[in-house]
Amino acid sequence: MASDDKFLSNTANLQKYLSLPQKGSVIAEYVWIDASGGTRSKCKTLKQSPSSVKDLPEWNFDGSSTGQAPGDNSDVYLRPVAYYPDPFRTEGGANILVMCETWMSDGKPNAYNFRHDAAVLMDKHAKHEFWFGLEQEYTLLDAMGWPYGWPKNGFPAPQGPYYCGNGTGKVFGRDIVDAHYKACMYAGINISGTNAEVMPGQWEYQVGPCTGIDLGDQLWMSRFLLHRIAEEFGAKVTFSPKPIPGDWNGAGLHTNVSTTEMRADGGIKAIEAAMEKLSKRHAEHMKVYGEGNEARMTGKHETASYDKFSWGVANRGASVRVNRSCAEEGKGYFEDRRPASNADPYQITGMIVETLCGKVEGVDLYANTVNVENVENEMVVPVAKP
Ligand code: ADP
Ligand code: MN
Ligand code: MN
Ligand code: MN
């Protein structure tokens, strides 16, 4: 990135203020999910460190400024659900990032709060102890919205040398990727690895395995961290499932799943039973597996058909893949390869629990639970072309 960009944050200069004592106060950055699949945040001074999430006060924001509420009833409430050490304002671990649910004044979840219903399902079926591991793919863009490291007025050489690549001209943005990796670890996010992807400027990291609703909380916080870190490098992050049309790989959010029964000896039976159930609710799953996913799921570039469910051992062209070692050991986990990179992990994991274990009265993972009138939201997609 151009270092003469005056809007780039001057982290070196900031550093000397970051080390000033806080005189016992704690900075809590409240993070929530907005109307376009992004994160928003604002911070609050606390007089003492919380010892559990219950100690964190409820807060609010102006929902009419984020497309989450109409202007004449604009208060949206922030309810803390998890918190993590803040890797930006470290203060020996005292400052925190707070993941929040959003609620309306009528006592209903905000239209973009899918966590609440997912948590009800997870709670009801807790005895199966669902583990989720998600592979978050994303694309780095420069400030103009063109993929990071790509020639200004054209395209790089065709795909091939970039996946897990090393060396100049093969990978772009490793500094951002490593900064994010360490920041996640510091925050206690269960990040399990990273790799460069098939399209240059595209990367992946994995979060998990995490139990139940915890996966969604951690994945959303990891997305916040990624946006926040890229900001310091003058880069943008897009979770668009097909950022560049044509012969360039799309981006997914492969979802690895297991239950107590699947992890136990003979668990392959439970996995096969799960495949049967998944095959019957393909359309319902696709509804929450990300906007614009049909552009990614073409049957090419290691994806399956958008319309039809399939599964297979070691098959990267199937909707769901059972890995070879799981088939050999007769137990383990399966990988749902359908979700797009921009999907909401609460909806994905909630839908999987619902399909495998059954519905819970009143839970609706698809629709926005509240209709927000007079609000229009657009998906964020990079627009620049050479
Ligand atoms: P791939 O081979 O598809 O690229 P990755 O190694 O990128 O797979 O990601 C695999 C994910 O599966 C990781 O997040 C890992 O934590 C998760 N995982 C491993 N074991 C289990 C399990 N038993 N249940 C659910 N997720 C698991
Ligand atoms: Mn992977
Ligand atoms: Mn990948
Ligand atoms: Mn995968």
Side-chain angles (χ1 to χ4, degrees):
M1 255 333 285
S3 55
D4 57 355
D5 186 339
K6 66 181 170 174
F7 298 113
L8 211 59
S9 76
N10 190 335
T11 324
N13 205 13
L14 169 65
Q15 211 56 45
K16 56 189 190 216
Y17 300 99
L18 283 177
S19 59
L20 292 177
Q22 289 179 197
K23 312 268 167 114
S25 290
V26 170
I27 305 175
E29 185 85 24
Y30 277 50
V31 178
W32 72 94
I33 300 156
D34 73 9
S36 51
T39 55
R40 308 263 179 150
S41 70
K42 59 176 189 168
C43 56
K44 184 181 193 62
T45 305
L46 306 177
K47 286 299 163 203
Q48 59 192 41
S49 287
S51 32
S52 90
V53 80
K54 292 191 188 74
D55 295 338
L56 292 166
E58 192 172 298
W59 205 11
N60 59 65
F61 68 95
D62 168 14
S64 71
S65 299
T66 65
Q68 288 176 275
D72 57 6
N73 185 17
S74 64
D75 269 6
V76 179
Y77 296 92
L78 292 170
R79 293 197 185 148
V81 291
Y83 65 101
Y84 310 89
D86 180 345
F88 304 110
R89 316 172 174 111
T90 48
E91 192 69 7
N95 293 330
I96 52 175
L97 306 174
V98 181
M99 191 67 215
C100 299
E101 277 193 24
T102 48
W103 285 78
M104 306 305 284
S105 56
D106 63 1
K108 290 187 178 147
N110 181 258
Y112 302 92
N113 174 1
F114 292 106
R115 185 188 187 280
H116 174 68
D117 278 6
V120 171
L121 269 163
M122 308 262 179
D123 214 45
K124 167 94 198 250
H125 300 300
K127 67 166 190 275
H128 298 290
E129 210 178 307
F130 273 85
W131 288 4
F132 299 105
L134 268 58
E135 305 168 49
Q136 177 70 70
E137 295 182 337
Y138 63 96
T139 308
L140 292 174
L141 307 173
D142 63 24
M144 304 301 292
W146 191 234
Y148 213 65
W150 285 31
K152 285 281 165 280
N153 295 303
F155 293 87
Q159 295 182 161
Y162 311 114
Y163 171 71
C164 297
N166 298 119
T168 300
K170 294 182 188 159
V171 288
F172 307 101
R174 197 191 297 279
D175 45 5
I176 297 172
V177 172
D178 271 357
H180 176 249
Y181 199 174
K182 292 282 279 210
C184 282
M185 278 186 178
Y186 181 87
I189 302 296
N190 187 13
I191 184 166
S192 34
T194 75
N195 60 269
E197 269 304 334
V198 176
M199 186 181 99
Q202 202 169 74
W203 293 85
E204 170 180 317
Y205 64 89
Q206 305 95 33
V207 172
C210 295
T211 306
I213 203 69
D214 197 29
L215 184 280
D217 294 344
Q218 293 202 25
L219 192 78
W220 272 111
M221 192 50 82
S222 77
R223 285 176 173 180
F224 163 79
L225 290 171
L226 186 56
H227 283 298
R228 194 40 200 77
I229 285 163
E231 165 192 326
E232 289 177 24
F233 290 79
K236 291 181 181 172
V237 176
T238 178
F239 292 107
S240 165
K242 190 77 178 180
I244 306 295
D247 220 1
W248 303 98
N249 271 37
L253 187 60
H254 294 170
T255 297
N256 299 278
V257 186
S258 65
T259 59
T260 314
E261 296 81 3
M262 295 173 194
R263 293 187 294 270
D265 284 345
I268 193 78
K269 286 245 160 11
I271 293 180
E272 282 164 7
M275 295 308 114
E276 182 64 22
K277 288 180 175 168
L278 286 176
S279 72
K280 297 198 171 116
R281 288 189 93 212
H282 180 67
E284 287 89 336
H285 281 251
M286 295 310 284
K287 272 198 236 166
V288 299
Y289 277 7
E291 250 185 281
N293 202 8
E294 59 287 347
R296 163 183 168 260
M297 296 199 65
T298 55
K300 288 193 206 153
H301 303 112
E302 298 170 54
T303 66
S305 137
Y306 182 83
D307 305 307
K308 248 187 71 208
F309 180 86
S310 61
W311 72 278
V313 174
N315 184 356
R316 287 174 198 270
S319 314
V320 174
R321 173 174 70 118
V322 172
N323 60 54
R324 175 110 31 222
S325 69
C326 172
E328 277 163 10
E329 287 173 36
K331 61 178 173 184
Y333 61 97
F334 66 86
E335 177 194 36
D336 189 342
R337 300 173 60 81
R338 294 171 293 176
S341 46
N342 60 354
D344 184 324
Y346 295 129
Q347 283 180 295
I348 302 174
T349 56
M351 187 59 64
I352 290 171
V353 173
E354 185 178 87
T355 296
L356 301 194
C357 300
K359 286 188 183 244
V360 172
E361 179 80 20
V363 163
D364 184 354
L365 294 160
Y366 309 102
N368 293 335
T369 10
V370 180
N371 282 319
V372 181
E373 281 165 26
N374 311 318
V375 169
E376 278 192 17
N377 294 304
E378 286 177 7
M379 223 179 63
V380 185
V381 179
V383 285
K385 293 262 161 62

